[in-house]
Amino acid sequence: MTSTLSGKPASDNTAAGLVAPDCRGMNFYRIDGGLRDLLDLHMEPRLRAAMEPHLDRLGNLAGGRLDELAEIADKHPPVLHSRDRFGRDEDWVEFHPAYREMERIGFGEFGLHAMAHRPGVLGWNKPLPYIAKYAFQYLFVQAEFGLMCPISVTDTGAVLVENYGSDDLKARYLGRMLSQNMDEIFKGAQYMTERAGGSDLGNSAVVAKREGDFWRLYGDKWFCSAVDGDVVLLLARPEGASDGSKGLGLFLMPRRLENGARNSYRIARLKDKFGTRSMASGEVVLEGAFAYQLGALDRGLRQMMDMVNLSRMSHGARAAGMMRRCLNESMQVARHRTAFGKPIIEHPLLRRQLMKLMVPTEQALSVFAYDATMMDRARAGDAEAERVMRILTAVLKFRACRDNIRVATGAMEVRGGNGYIEDWVNSRLIRDAHIGVLWEGTSNINALDVINRAVAKSGGHETLGRALKEKLQASPAAPAAFRAEISKLIDRAVAFAGDVASKPKHERLARLATDALYNVASAALMTWEGATAGANGHDARRLVLARMVVEHRLRAEDPMAIADSDWEEDATAALLDPAPVSLDHASQLVSA
């Protein structure tokens, strides 16, 4: 897993030359040995070879033109025009040309919204697997996060139309939702949140009234991301339906009617947001808006969860990508900034801080890549993989999005005062990171989904434990004692999750149990990844990272004790060195 971060050296003698450079101008794919190594492990060779030039092209855009556009769009957010010049209520959202160019890259050039649905995207003769889709998302968000929301809801909204729409609705909307032609595409939106019902969707108050073969919707939606979307997926309560979540139906609401007229809802205002400023979020008033029913009226929330679960997976991949950008920025500073007579990467305390950025970054990469492969197997009919994916997706979303905030903040500190200034990417990375713990459920909601649903109702923790032990068994090149320790930690994490789920009073421990499952999953996966790569003569550093996870996330630590061994200093030296780590060296560090 070699990684080259050099770029623009501060070589001149001017004052400007004293400021550490950033990563703009680099190819974010080429400097990411971790991603390339995991794609080698998880992708079948023919697909891997076919995607290589496209990943390389997106990596170049992410470090170049896309990054420039993202900075411009962040500084020029969308503007709502409530009426046209004749005073008609034709509300529309004006975007800066930089945002429109990013749309052409994401939707048009790469088809990020369509690649998992239909053949032909990027020249592949069938729908691309999830591992490919999320790899592209991971690279894209290293430059631009906000646009990934409309890309993702178009992608996941198409899933709802595919799964629950009538043949007529599929014919009318699906082709245009999956189009890469920017003149005909229908972009998606998701309106979930109401003032009365945020995480508690059972309190939703929007009413649906039947009118022949369609419905009219009345009420307010409070936080509507991609508010200008052409095809909106939302929940509403049909007249006479029961209270609570079981009374909610799922509906498709077009922005414009068949005759081209605006549907009967209006954008009341755009949200003045902390982050994701490039993308328009707003409040919407439904005034008898025309809508179509999707699926069974009493299963609306359950059906909407198809969209939510895929969005959670996307958030995990996005968090991993954003952490990678933060880590790369920090490495760039550390190698080019001099303090107290030497590059700051040579200072022991800073080296430890870099490890605190690197370990969660690599954990998220390992877990999202494995989860994506479970999604692919589940789509092919593997019931066991589907159970793994159901629990692991919420586990990933819970921990990776929280780690993203810590890593972004730590990366700002590495850059110092410049990291607080909007001239540099760090402040935007911090602002955008925080939405990950809000969209598709707060941290509490995701932890409760893990414990109260996946663990308590379906035993998903036990399925996950078995899958992780299979990975350990497939890692004979890793030291036996280390594999045995991780196996015992898996047993403990699984038992702990079961105990927490067994009694309502233990709900307060749901986040701790979810953490434990995430950490043992990443340790087991990194062990397999590092041992497999090392046995094939490639970089085995992920085995060293696995021990870092065990040491600092899963073993009891005395905060006022100094370790007798120097293993961590040696491990840090190996991980900060871009040269590959041999299997023998990695095994020695793991066993020290």
Side-chain angles (χ1 to χ4, degrees):
M1 187 184 74
T2 57
S3 175
T4 303
L5 280 172
S6 54
K8 301 153 281 188
S11 59
D12 61 58
N13 294 318
T14 65
L18 300 176
V19 177
D22 60 11
C23 292
R24 182 171 292 174
M26 296 181 176
N27 184 312
F28 288 175
Y29 176 67
R30 294 183 189 177
I31 64 174
D32 194 342
L35 175 64
R36 297 198 311 274
D37 285 352
L38 292 198
L39 293 182
D40 288 342
L41 290 173
H42 289 298
M43 270 190 185
E44 61 93 8
R46 191 168 69 89
L47 174 66
R48 179 76 179 89
M51 291 300 105
E52 178 72 10
H54 302 296
L55 290 163
D56 187 72
R57 181 160 48 93
L58 182 55
N60 188 56
L61 282 167
R65 181 59 177 166
L66 188 58
D67 196 47
E68 294 170 357
L69 294 170
E71 181 180 13
I72 296 169
D74 183 70
K75 288 178 168 57
H76 298 85
V79 176
L80 174 64
H81 299 271
S82 298
R83 288 185 167 187
D84 68 10
R85 61 195 176 118
F86 297 102
R88 293 174 297 202
D89 293 328
E90 291 284 345
D91 53 1
W92 61 283
V93 179
E94 178 185 3
F95 290 91
H96 191 276
Y99 185 84
R100 293 304 191 192
E101 187 174 341
M102 291 194 297
E103 285 187 313
R104 288 192 291 274
I105 294 171
F107 285 106
E109 183 176 350
F110 284 90
L112 298 178
H113 64 300
M115 57 174 50
H117 293 271
R118 61 171 177 80
V121 179
L122 300 180
W124 195 243
N125 62 359
K126 53 187 174 182
L128 283 163
Y130 287 116
I131 183 62
K133 180 180 82 169
Y134 291 120
F136 282 104
Q137 289 191 12
Y138 166 94
L139 286 172
F140 191 93
V141 299
Q142 290 185 46
E144 163 61 9
F145 181 85
L147 181 60
M148 190 50 66
C149 172
I151 289 173
S152 180
V153 292
T154 305
D155 171 14
T156 57
V159 171
L160 296 186
V161 177
E162 286 177 322
N163 290 350
Y164 306 111
S166 65
D167 290 341
D168 178 62
L169 284 181
K170 291 177 185 178
R172 189 176 304 173
Y173 292 105
L174 201 53
R176 292 188 67 173
M177 291 181 75
L178 300 179
S179 175
Q180 290 175 256
N181 184 333
M182 299 308 294
D183 292 328
E184 70 175 26
I185 188 173
F186 278 165
K187 288 172 281 189
Q190 177 200 69
Y191 298 174
M192 291 274 282
T193 308
E194 300 178 21
R195 275 175 280 192
S199 296
D200 185 3
L201 290 171
N203 282 330
S204 295
V206 168
V207 174
K209 298 182 179 182
R210 187 185 290 275
E211 192 170 305
D213 293 333
F214 58 91
W215 297 76
R216 296 283 185 181
L217 306 181
Y218 299 86
D220 292 5
K221 288 292 184 178
W222 182 243
F223 199 104
C224 305
S225 292
V227 72
D228 61 318
D230 303 293
V231 178
V232 181
L233 286 304
L234 72 167
L235 297 171
R237 194 178 308 280
E239 272 191 315
S242 62
D243 294 336
S245 60
K246 291 184 179 179
L248 296 174
L250 176 63
F251 297 90
L252 182 155
M253 182 178 73
R255 176 69 172 146
R256 294 198 170 271
L257 306 179
E258 289 291 303
N259 62 5
R262 185 176 64 86
N263 203 349
S264 299
Y265 69 91
R266 58 187 172 87
I267 303 170
R269 64 171 176 167
L270 297 186
K271 298 288 193 181
D272 185 8
K273 296 176 294 179
F274 177 55
T276 64
R277 291 177 179 173
S278 63
M279 182 270 299
S281 300
E283 299 166 20
V284 167
V285 180
L286 306 168
E287 301 169 319
F290 178 95
Y292 299 100
Q293 175 184 336
L294 286 178
L297 282 179
D298 61 348
R299 295 176 64 83
L301 181 56
R302 184 181 294 271
Q303 293 165 176
M304 178 64 91
M305 287 304 295
D306 290 355
M307 187 178 199
V308 170
N309 286 329
L310 286 169
S311 295
R312 285 175 173 175
M313 174 62 197
S314 178
H315 270 290
R318 290 181 232 177
M322 292 173 73
M323 283 190 273
R324 177 67 66 191
R325 177 70 186 271
C326 291
L327 176 61
N328 284 343
E329 291 291 334
S330 297
M331 294 297 293
Q332 187 75 330
V333 173
R335 288 178 175 147
H336 290 93
R337 178 69 173 166
T338 297
F340 308 107
K342 57 185 177 181
I344 63 174
I345 198 170
E346 296 179 14
H347 291 279
L349 189 55
L350 191 279
R351 292 166 75 81
R352 188 170 189 270
Q353 295 310 109
L354 291 173
M355 288 298 100
K356 288 188 174 183
L357 306 183
M358 181 183 292
V359 171
T361 298
E362 301 294 359
Q363 284 183 279
L365 175 61
S366 291
V367 177
F368 106 68
Y370 177 69
D371 197 14
T373 65
M374 292 297 101
M375 283 188 166
D376 286 323
R377 285 172 50 182
R379 184 160 64 170
D382 186 330
E384 191 84 350
E386 182 169 3
R387 293 180 69 195
V388 171
M389 176 266 293
R390 288 295 180 191
I391 186 170
L392 193 58
T393 299
V395 168
L396 168 67
K397 201 277 185 180
F398 167 80
R399 185 68 262 167
C401 290
R402 294 187 62 76
D403 282 343
N404 191 16
I405 295 172
R406 294 194 306 175
V407 169
T409 304
M412 175 193 69
E413 192 173 3
V414 172
R415 187 168 289 280
N418 282 336
Y420 198 66
I421 306 302
E422 294 288 345
D423 291 342
W424 303 85
V425 73
N426 295 87
S427 57
R428 175 157 52 91
L429 290 169
I430 289 173
R431 289 188 279 105
D432 287 350
H434 281 76
I435 196 64
V437 298
L438 300 175
W439 278 345
E440 316 309 340
T442 63
S443 299
N444 281 357
I445 292 298
N446 279 270
L448 290 173
D449 279 352
V450 170
I451 299 304
N452 292 345
R453 294 180 183 175
V455 174
K457 293 185 178 180
S458 62
H461 58 316
E462 295 173 346
T463 307
L464 176 61
R466 289 193 298 270
L468 296 175
K469 286 193 172 185
E470 287 178 7
K471 286 298 182 187
L472 288 180
Q473 292 167 2
S475 314
F482 186 63
R483 286 186 286 121
E485 180 180 10
I486 295 178
S487 182
K488 290 178 182 177
L489 289 168
I490 292 171
D491 290 338
R492 290 189 61 196
V494 168
F496 180 44
D499 289 344
V500 171
S502 67
K503 296 181 180 179
K505 70 176 183 178
H506 291 163
E507 179 183 299
R508 63 188 175 85
L509 302 173
R511 289 164 70 133
L512 291 176
T514 304
D515 263 343
L517 292 172
Y518 180 81
N519 288 323
V520 295
S522 63
L525 294 171
M526 286 174 166
T527 298
W528 169 73
E529 294 158 358
T532 303
N536 292 330
H538 301 302
D539 197 339
R541 71 179 56 220
R542 303 192 78 77
L543 187 55
V544 184
L545 288 161
R547 178 167 177 189
M548 285 285 193
V549 173
V550 170
E551 200 74 30
H552 294 290
R553 301 285 189 272
L554 295 166
R555 285 179 183 163
E557 287 187 276
D558 182 348
M560 291 180 286
I562 298 176
D564 294 331
S565 170
D566 291 334
W567 85 269
E568 190 160 334
E569 292 179 28
D570 296 337
T572 298
L575 293 171
L576 292 179
D577 188 336
V581 178
S582 70
L583 180 59
D584 286 345
H585 190 194
S587 298
Q588 291 168 7
L589 290 170
V590 162
S591 303

